[in-house]
Amino acid sequence: MRRQGFMAEQGLYKNYRPAVVAPAGAATGPAWLFIFKASQILLRDGLEQPVIPTGEEVKQIGPQLSGRQYLGELKGRPCYCMEINDTAVLPPGLVFKELRALLEQVEEDLFLLAGRAFQIINWHRLSRFCGQCGRPTKLKPGELARLCPGCETVYYPRISPAVIVAVTRGGRVLLAHNRNFRRNWYSVIAGFVEPGETFEECVAREVMEEVGLKVRNIKYFGSQPWPFPDSLMVGFTAEYESGKIQVDGEEIDAAAWFGSENLPPCPGNYTIAGKLIEAVLQNKK
């Protein structure tokens, strides 16, 4: 059953209504175009806040755009995603920036939509050919899917589930430094779900593997799409049960217990990591 408005009805989005097929009739305003080159998104340059360009602003590079996909409406205006040829010359006033640059810089709906657009474009790029018979795939009408005209295999956007967990002990939260983080930046434990594993089992395994601790009372907290590149972050809280912190030395090179009075630089509450940290330190969960 297709329910294109489900996400908006349930409150994930405030001003965005997802859709796959553009409605008939005139649009209420110029379309916003989410245009990507690898992990970079096209934005208006020189403004205080990032702004998505409209179709009018990129009209001259139209022939060098591909993978056009309707996304739905944001604040009543139609939105599309697409990718650009590497050799395209940008009009004055437009520039590419890393998608992560939108974090904390734009309203939540816009960041979530940009992430959705990036995941769709990335999926288009990786699913151009059928994995069964090697033939070129094509868009399946009326659905967010690609179809092989040869063997009729259908490909849907890939979503990689991952857990993220705030472990607490005596009013403090466990934070760790991943080798890929910038210096002195800490966050909660996270990791991808393995085949045949429940979310709760993944939480217990990741905490044990990365910091050597056993946890209990694992509870669901919430979730957030995370387009780097195609994750769905499923958040949990857990309580310390036993063990001494022993970082794995591969992914994690430092970890410790922190309270509100000595938090290191860490994610803000625009991310599920930040919301978890804030909630457990304020005893919301």
Side-chain angles (χ1 to χ4, degrees), residues 3 38-39 50 107 112 168 174 177 203 249:
R3 294 194 293 169
S39 62
E107 60 188 70
L112 289 169
T168 59
L174 177 69
H177 180 268
V203 167

Side-chain angles (χ1 to χ4, degrees), residues 7-57:
M7 288 186 286
E9 292 166 3
Q10 296 300 309
L12 176 61
Y13 296 102
K14 300 179 182 66
N15 301 303
Y16 168 57
R17 296 198 64 81
V20 175
V21 180
T28 57
W32 277 315
L33 303 187
F34 293 77
I35 299 173
F36 294 91
K37 182 171 68 173
S39 62
Q40 296 184 317
I41 185 170
L42 188 64
L43 302 168
R44 288 189 205 165
D45 192 20
L47 300 179
E48 189 172 323
Q49 289 186 322
V51 175
I52 303 298
T54 65
E56 287 295 315
E57 292 172 297

Side-chain angles (χ1 to χ4, degrees), residues 141-219:
E143 193 172 356
L144 192 57
R146 296 188 72 90
L147 173 68
C148 174
C151 63
E152 298 187 344
T153 301
V154 179
Y155 295 92
Y156 295 95
R158 188 178 81 172
I159 299 173
S160 303
V163 300
I164 184 165
V165 54
V167 181
T168 59
R169 182 184 187 185
R172 293 181 174 271
V173 63
L174 177 69
L175 299 180
H177 180 268
N178 188 296
R179 287 182 178 272
N180 295 320
F181 291 169
R182 60 182 180 265
R183 186 178 181 184
N184 296 326
W185 181 266
Y186 281 70
S187 188
V188 288
I189 299 295
F192 287 102
V193 180
E194 294 186 351
E197 188 174 52
T198 67
F199 288 126
E200 291 81 2
E201 288 170 339
C202 183
V203 167
R205 175 182 57 78
E206 285 289 342
V207 175
M208 177 58 70
E209 288 180 355
E210 295 190 356
V211 292
L213 301 180
K214 188 175 181 180
V215 295
R216 66 187 179 192
N217 199 21
I218 299 169
K219 294 182 179 180

Side-chain angles (χ1 to χ4, degrees), residues 74-136:
L74 179 63
K75 297 182 178 179
R77 291 174 61 173
C79 300
Y80 293 84
C81 62
M82 55 199 70
E83 62 179 338
I84 192 170
N85 189 301
D86 286 339
T87 61
V89 178
L90 297 182
L94 297 178
V95 65
F96 276 103
K97 292 188 178 180
E98 288 293 325
L99 180 59
R100 288 179 182 269
L102 297 187
L103 280 170
E104 283 196 300
Q105 299 297 312
V106 298
E107 60 188 70
E108 188 174 16
D109 269 15
L110 183 55
F111 176 73
L112 289 169
L113 178 51
R116 173 175 164 84
F118 173 70
Q119 288 184 252
I120 290 173
I121 286 299
N122 198 44
W123 160 66
H124 277 312
R125 185 185 309 115
L126 297 175
S127 305
R128 287 174 178 164
F129 296 93
C130 177
Q132 294 277 8
C133 67
R135 296 190 184 186

